[in-house]
Amino acid sequence: MITLPRLRNNSEEVIARLAIRGLDASSMVNEVLTLDEKVRTLKTELEALKAESNANAASIGRLMKEGNVEEANKAKEASAQSKGIIKNLESELTTLESQLKEALVVLPNTPDFSVPTGKNSDDNKIEGVYGTMPEIPENSLPHWDLAKKYDLIDFDLGVKITGAGFPVYKGKGAIIQRALIQFFLNEAGKMGYTEIQPPLMVNSDSAFGTGQLPDKEGQMYYVGEDDLYLIPTAEVPVTNIFRGVLYKSDQFPIKYCGYTPCFRREAGSYGAHVRGLNRLHQFDKVEIVQLVHPDKSYETLTEMSEYVQSLLKKLGLHYRVLLLCGGDMGFTSAKTYDMEVWSPAQKMWLECSSVSNFETYQTHRLECRFKDENGKSQFPHSLNGSALALPRILASILETYQTPEGIVVPEVLRPYTGFDIIK
RNA sequence: GGUGAGGUGGGUGAGUGGCUGAAACCACCAGUUUGCUAAACUGACGAACGGGAAACUGUUCCGGGGGUUCGAAUCCCCCCCUCACCGCCA
């Protein structure tokens, strides 16, 4: 959530930044400011009344103690009168405050000024293309055919057991999944990330804290009986570790990583572009999360983006880095880099990581603060990134490393797989 | 699912209607002393929101919501959560 003091003091800047998303927020911002003004006026009025009534109640106590019952009873009558007025003002205030919150919560995060203006993915900026375009033979197969040929993934079986988008990994297919997870976790560990195994279901407070609610309600699987959501990413449970905590500035940076399955309803996506491993309802991902001092967050964003790229390099995959334009960024992000891996058989780029700086947007919702050097409490900045999402990486590996003899396992994975070729 | 106990400040924990935003202890912070460290002593020490140029000041908060009362951490009702034991169980 955007903080109120910021909206009061820098509303022009907030509007200018939101314009980067292609959003004209001026009327939304004005609504917030109008409501805020009303809330404050009413609050002042109400508090004065309450102060008076509190003082009165205290004096009744004194009079009773002194045995001055007559005076006390007079004061009681006066008190009873103001009670009704206070009650009315209070309910008015509650209404205004919830209106204010509703108006505030629908404002997305403000993009950093370095984010390109734009409406959709066409306006993203290509920051760089790395590795070499793999040359694969004419008769090369897309990953879903390779998965079938070598019996690595059974999509039909997943349909039988659960439904479309829930593949079954088998044999070496399962092992290479496990190898990737372990490789990613070990690499993150080397970089100082503490490994977390979080719950795979979260309550609505957590879903709100990271911004999945109310924005992406329909994208999460919901267990109504217990009022819990299946996590769409480890970001949700891991970032919620910070919820309601007051840190000290010398504790930063806090670095967590975690592997989890992720569950996404992906309502409304059908067709060829969701074929094979391209888009699933359940998939595996290793996530990295950091909580840092506000002065450091953009430095950290670069560091995290470079770390994610180092994984792609070690796997020997061809990839590119995009700086997302305002319109293509997530609701809660201030700046996002996407990494896309090349799928040589499909001849298309597949998003496999998204690294974002949320600035104070999440920490404000999470009520996560820290005491700065002057003892003032401030919101730290939170960041996260996929490092990495498995399915599209696997798709790219299968297609990139296919040979007439079989699929060659990238060298860095061999210690984890125990085999170097899939035949 | 059953029974019982309990949810108070960073932590432990006292507090059954006004003198309690809250004892005491611990931790943290500042200072004094000591050659350093440790120890001892002294002091400060919850948060959010509002008013004020500031000094300062007001309101709210003792799991959440509602009620009783002039006045609630304290009494009543509902809900949530935690713990223990039992039941079931990977």
Side-chain angles (χ1 to χ4, degrees), chain A residues 276-307:
Chain A
L277 292 171
N278 288 354
R279 188 173 297 193
L280 301 170
H281 289 307
Q282 178 181 327
F283 64 96
D284 294 298
K285 180 160 64 66
V286 171
E287 185 79 3
I288 52 176
V289 172
Q290 290 207 40
L291 188 70
V292 303
H293 192 283
D295 295 346
K296 292 275 164 53
S297 66
Y298 280 95
E299 214 172 283
T300 304
L301 182 66
T302 306
E303 172 209 305
M304 288 170 76
S305 152
E306 281 167 2
Y307 167 69

Side-chain angles (χ1 to χ4, degrees), chain A residues 158-407:
Chain A
V159 170
K160 180 177 102 173
I161 298 172
T162 307
F166 293 90
V168 176
Y169 301 88
K170 293 165 74 179
K172 287 186 171 154
I175 292 173
I176 200 164
Q177 282 273 109
R178 177 156 52 82
L180 280 165
I181 292 163
Q182 211 168 335
F183 169 62
F184 292 149
L185 285 173
N186 285 353
E187 291 293 310
K190 284 185 209 162
M191 292 298 288
Y193 291 92
T194 302
E195 187 174 334
I196 303 288
Q197 274 193 25
L200 305 182
M201 292 194 230
V202 295
N203 56 32
S204 54
D205 284 345
S206 292
F208 177 83
T210 35
Q212 273 68 29
L213 290 180
D215 184 47
K216 293 185 194 149
E217 174 125 45
Q219 290 299 327
M220 288 188 290
Y221 288 99
Y222 176 60
V223 183
E225 197 168 4
D226 295 295
D227 195 22
L228 296 172
Y229 296 86
L230 268 70
I231 58 169
T233 155
E235 167 194 347
V236 181
V238 173
T239 308
N240 270 279
I241 292 174
F242 307 137
R243 175 150 53 87
V245 181
L246 182 62
Y247 290 97
K248 289 179 187 155
S249 55
D250 61 9
Q251 290 176 272
F252 297 138
I254 295 171
K255 304 169 79 170
Y256 291 133
C257 67
Y259 152 71
T260 67
C262 302
F263 304 93
R264 298 191 182 176
R265 295 187 61 229
E266 303 286 7
S269 347
Y270 304 99
H273 61 291
V274 304
R275 198 159 174 200
L277 292 171
N278 288 354
R279 188 173 297 193
L280 301 170
H281 289 307
Q282 178 181 327
F283 64 96
D284 294 298
K285 180 160 64 66
V286 171
E287 185 79 3
I288 52 176
V289 172
Q290 290 207 40
L291 188 70
V292 303
H293 192 283
D295 295 346
K296 292 275 164 53
S297 66
Y298 280 95
E299 214 172 283
T300 304
L301 182 66
T302 306
E303 172 209 305
M304 288 170 76
S305 152
E306 281 167 2
Y307 167 69
V308 169
Q309 293 180 54
S310 78
L311 298 174
L312 291 160
K313 283 183 184 138
K314 284 178 184 170
L315 289 168
L317 298 174
H318 183 48
Y319 71 92
R320 66 178 189 177
V321 179
L322 301 179
L323 172 58
L324 294 195
C325 74
D328 203 31
M329 279 196 323
F331 190 78
T332 54
S333 177
K335 187 171 184 178
T336 297
Y337 292 105
D338 270 10
M339 317 306 158
E340 294 186 334
V341 70
W342 180 247
S343 163
Q346 300 185 83
K347 300 201 189 319
M348 62 190 266
W349 295 102
L350 301 175
E351 182 192 334
C352 61
S353 177
S354 196
V355 183
S356 303
N357 184 358
F358 304 100
E359 296 185 354
T360 62
Y361 198 85
Q362 287 184 330
T363 52
H364 181 218
R365 285 179 168 232
L366 292 163
E367 289 180 60
C368 165
R369 287 157 310 193
F370 74 99
K371 288 265 188 209
D372 67 16
E373 301 69 24
N374 305 318
K376 293 278 272 179
S377 66
Q378 284 194 50
F379 294 113
H381 286 188
S382 68
L383 303 97
N384 70 41
S386 349
L388 291 158
L390 291 240
R392 295 173 188 166
I393 293 293
L394 183 58
S396 177
I397 288 174
L398 296 180
E399 294 176 7
T400 302
Y401 287 98
Q402 61 182 305
T403 69
E405 290 75 41
I407 294 161

Side-chain angles (χ1 to χ4, degrees), chain A residues 23-255:
Chain A
L23 177 70
D24 177 8
S26 45
S27 66
M28 289 163 96
V29 168
N30 279 334
E31 193 196 344
V32 170
L33 291 177
T34 309
L35 284 166
D36 176 50
E37 192 57 45
K38 280 189 191 166
V39 164
R40 285 195 289 167
T41 311
L42 187 58
K43 209 172 216 177
T44 310
E45 193 184 333
L46 180 62
E47 283 177 2
L49 277 172
K50 277 190 177 175
E52 200 181 307
S53 147
N54 285 345
N56 196 33
S59 79
I60 292 170
R62 259 197 321 277
L63 291 169
M64 292 296 265
K65 198 148 267 180
E66 288 163 9
N68 196 341
V69 180
E70 204 174 309
E71 283 292 312
N73 282 337
K74 263 193 215 162
K76 273 191 197 180
E77 273 171 46
S79 207
Q81 274 190 346
S82 66
K83 203 178 160 185
I85 303 171
I86 288 174
K87 200 154 197 180
N88 282 338
L89 289 182
E90 260 176 352
S91 76
E92 202 178 318
L93 182 64
T94 310
T95 311
L96 277 174
E97 277 178 335
S98 67
Q99 283 173 358
L100 176 59
K101 189 170 181 192
E102 272 168 44
L104 199 54
V105 124
V106 295
L107 286 173
N109 200 359
T110 52
D112 188 65
F113 277 125
S114 63
V115 170
T117 303
K119 283 238 175 260
N120 54 44
S121 55
D122 296 337
D123 299 316
N124 294 338
K125 186 179 158 221
I126 299 167
E127 291 274 294
V129 183
Y130 303 90
T132 46
M133 174 78 81
E135 292 188 18
I136 56 168
E138 261 314 294
N139 58 348
S140 295
L141 299 172
H143 67 269
W144 50 85
D145 287 337
L146 291 165
K148 195 159 204 163
K149 179 175 173 187
Y150 296 103
D151 198 20
L152 302 174
I153 306 168
D154 194 330
F155 290 99
D156 296 334
L157 185 55
V159 170
K160 180 177 102 173
I161 298 172
T162 307
F166 293 90
V168 176
Y169 301 88
K170 293 165 74 179
K172 287 186 171 154
I175 292 173
I176 200 164
Q177 282 273 109
R178 177 156 52 82
L180 280 165
I181 292 163
Q182 211 168 335
F183 169 62
F184 292 149
L185 285 173
N186 285 353
E187 291 293 310
K190 284 185 209 162
M191 292 298 288
Y193 291 92
T194 302
E195 187 174 334
I196 303 288
Q197 274 193 25
L200 305 182
M201 292 194 230
V202 295
N203 56 32
S204 54
D205 284 345
S206 292
F208 177 83
T210 35
Q212 273 68 29
L213 290 180
D215 184 47
K216 293 185 194 149
E217 174 125 45
Q219 290 299 327
M220 288 188 290
Y221 288 99
Y222 176 60
V223 183
E225 197 168 4
D226 295 295
D227 195 22
L228 296 172
Y229 296 86
L230 268 70
I231 58 169
T233 155
E235 167 194 347
V236 181
V238 173
T239 308
N240 270 279
I241 292 174
F242 307 137
R243 175 150 53 87
V245 181
L246 182 62
Y247 290 97
K248 289 179 187 155
S249 55
D250 61 9
Q251 290 176 272
F252 297 138
I254 295 171
K255 304 169 79 170

